[in-house]
Amino acid sequence: MVRLGHVFRNLIEDFPGTAFLRPHDEVFARGAARLGPKPQGLRIGLSWRGGTPAKSASQRSLSLARLAPKLETPDSEFVSLQYGDVAAETAAANAGLAREIRVFPAADIDDFEELAGLIANLDVVVSVQTAVVHLTGALGRDCRVMVPYNPIWRYTANAATMPWYRSVRIFRQLTPDNWDPVIESVAETLRASRPPA
């Protein structure tokens, strides 16, 4: 049996890595309307939990309280892209932030078309390995993905980007369960990306 991947994708150079999805104009406009006026700093989408217990959720995920304060930059705005009930977790994290994390109804996150409309209106997405990364990459939007010491194969063994999506930058644990250096590396890139005052 001939597999199409063997015919068309033998080398990294065979992967274009460019955007191949775009939200409909009305979906993009709905996302923009939901978000409202853009802040002076970065508008950052966050997803901090991924997987299920059977799919290494504990190794792939981290707490919002651990993540958000280290990523905060002046005049930035966080937007939750996390599926599930995150109301209590975001409320607790908001207590220590200069600007509250934006949280939208589950329907806006669980529906991938509506989620694409939100992502397309963000400056950058920061996520653990989860479907949000793949949607962001398919849209060609800037993404920083934080992966555990032994990520699933889609994130490769040591590359800085994913073959499918060159807009996704990979930040890896160098030792198991040690997220702090990963978060700090991502934070440095956000500080460097902040628009000039």
Side-chain angles (χ1 to χ4, degrees):
M1 181 193 326
V2 175
R3 299 180 189 272
L4 291 178
H6 289 172
V7 176
F8 294 106
R9 297 287 189 263
N10 286 306
L11 302 170
I12 290 294
E13 294 76 20
D14 295 333
F15 292 83
T18 53
F20 54 86
L21 288 182
R22 185 175 69 85
H24 292 294
D25 291 344
E26 62 271 20
V27 175
F28 179 85
R30 277 201 302 272
R34 287 188 179 102
L35 289 164
K38 189 181 179 308
Q40 288 185 314
L42 296 173
R43 183 171 263 164
I44 306 164
L46 295 179
S47 181
W48 57 94
R49 291 198 308 257
T52 62
K55 294 185 177 179
S56 305
S58 61
Q59 285 79 41
R60 292 164 57 173
S61 304
L62 51 106
S63 72
L64 181 60
R66 186 176 185 183
L67 178 64
K70 293 184 179 180
L71 298 186
E72 193 173 31
T73 60
D75 301 317
S76 64
E77 178 180 70
F78 291 130
V79 176
S80 171
L81 304 177
Q82 183 60 52
Y83 61 85
D85 182 2
V86 298
E89 193 170 7
T90 52
N94 282 340
L97 297 174
R99 190 169 186 162
E100 289 191 353
I101 298 167
R102 304 279 301 278
V103 180
F104 292 95
D108 292 351
I109 304 301
D110 295 342
D111 183 299
F112 266 33
E113 188 170 26
E114 296 303 319
L115 182 58
L118 287 175
I119 290 172
N121 282 282
L122 302 176
D123 294 308
V124 60
V125 169
V126 176
S127 178
V128 295
Q129 59 180 38
T130 188
V132 165
V133 173
H134 299 280
L135 181 57
T136 305
L139 292 165
R141 305 299 296 170
D142 193 1
C143 181
R144 319 282 201 266
V145 57
M146 303 172 292
V147 300
Y149 184 68
N150 288 312
I152 56 177
W153 66 269
R154 297 178 190 88
Y155 296 87
T156 73
N158 52 27
T161 60
M162 300 174 75
W164 301 273
Y165 331 108
R166 300 294 161 79
S167 65
V168 175
R169 294 171 59 184
I170 302 173
F171 294 78
R172 303 174 183 276
Q173 284 184 354
L174 299 181
T175 55
D177 302 320
N178 188 6
W179 283 115
D180 289 339
V182 181
I183 297 170
E184 181 53 38
S185 293
V186 172
E188 286 177 9
T189 71
L190 296 179
R191 289 192 289 267
S193 301
R194 180 173 172 259

